[in-house]
Amino acid sequence: RNLAFVFTGSWEIPVGVGRRFSVPKTADYVVGGWQMNTVFTWTSGLPFIPGYQNCTQDQDTGDGNLCRADVVGPWQVSNPGQNGWFATCSSVLTANGQGCGAWARPQKGQIGNVGRDTLYGPHFAQLDFSVFKEVALRETLKLQVRAEAFNFGNHTNLGQPVVTVDAPGRAGRIFATAGTYIPETWQMGMRLQF
């Protein structure tokens, strides 16, 4: 990933016994000891190299992993999404030199002209949020109640598109979520500190 941004924040509400805005001990059980925390993560998409089907037939390229297609036109789409991340072919490129839309199958003995890691998949964004409430039971005994939300807002993070440009019905489409994606998840917990 080229770009990554992580913001973390923690705010202890300054109300309660021993805090900026002091309250009686009985009121402290309700209004005191609150803390809010957040982690926001945003990263740019992962790079990929568009290829073509049946590239192992072009054995003279020296490596079956070098299935780079030729770019012969604009591959960008106006609104990239799950059903089309980049422009694709409507049919399989069966002959060397054959073109279809933005792409062509390279000539025998050549590696396609699309650059390494020229295209990028979807970005990743996630907001995690938690609220803690701490209650002093005795001078050395505290109870912490916590509610934590992962992917607060339930933002779907898409995985990589199918990178084969000439796979009708599949090319450029995204069929899975990112490997680190989790749907919105809540958990509650308690911790006794002594």
Side-chain angles (χ1 to χ4, degrees):
R1 298 182 190 271
N2 286 344
L3 303 171
F5 173 79
V6 178
F7 171 81
T8 61
S10 181
W11 183 54
E12 188 173 306
I13 299 174
V15 176
V17 175
R19 293 178 175 83
R20 184 174 180 188
F21 302 106
S22 188
V23 295
K25 187 168 176 103
T26 53
D28 187 53
Y29 285 110
V30 177
V31 297
W34 288 95
Q35 179 181 338
M36 292 188 292
N37 311 288
T38 187
V39 177
F40 175 72
T41 305
W42 183 94
T43 60
S44 58
L46 291 170
F48 64 91
I49 304 168
Y52 57 96
Q53 290 194 62
N54 304 318
C55 68
T56 53
Q57 294 174 359
D58 297 336
Q59 291 297 324
D60 55 344
T61 60
D63 186 352
N65 293 324
L66 296 175
C67 297
R68 296 183 189 180
D70 274 340
V71 179
V72 294
W75 53 264
Q76 299 88 350
V77 293
S78 60
N79 189 18
Q82 183 175 2
N83 292 319
W85 195 254
F86 57 90
T88 61
C89 292
S90 57
S91 61
V92 177
L93 299 173
T94 56
N96 294 95
Q98 177 186 355
C100 174
W103 307 100
R105 185 176 181 141
Q107 294 293 338
K108 272 238 186 248
Q110 294 182 353
I111 297 172
N113 66 5
V114 66
R116 183 174 187 267
D117 298 339
T118 303
L119 280 69
Y120 287 83
H123 70 270
F124 180 91
Q126 181 168 308
L127 175 67
D128 299 332
F129 180 76
S130 63
V131 177
F132 297 174
K133 167 73 169 127
E134 195 170 274
V135 178
L137 302 174
R138 292 192 202 137
E139 194 170 313
T140 59
L141 186 64
K142 294 180 182 177
L143 176 68
Q144 185 182 71
V145 180
R146 36 195 323 154
E148 299 168 311
F150 303 97
N151 194 9
F152 187 72
N154 206 23
H155 173 73
T156 302
N157 289 295
L158 298 174
Q160 291 291 85
V162 174
V163 300
T164 307
V165 300
D166 61 343
R170 296 185 49 78
R173 295 183 65 195
I174 299 172
F175 293 96
T177 56
T180 55
Y181 164 76
I182 55 170
E184 183 175 29
T185 305
W186 284 82
Q187 70 182 24
M188 302 285 289
M190 290 194 314
R191 187 170 85 179
L192 193 60
Q193 301 174 32
F194 52 92

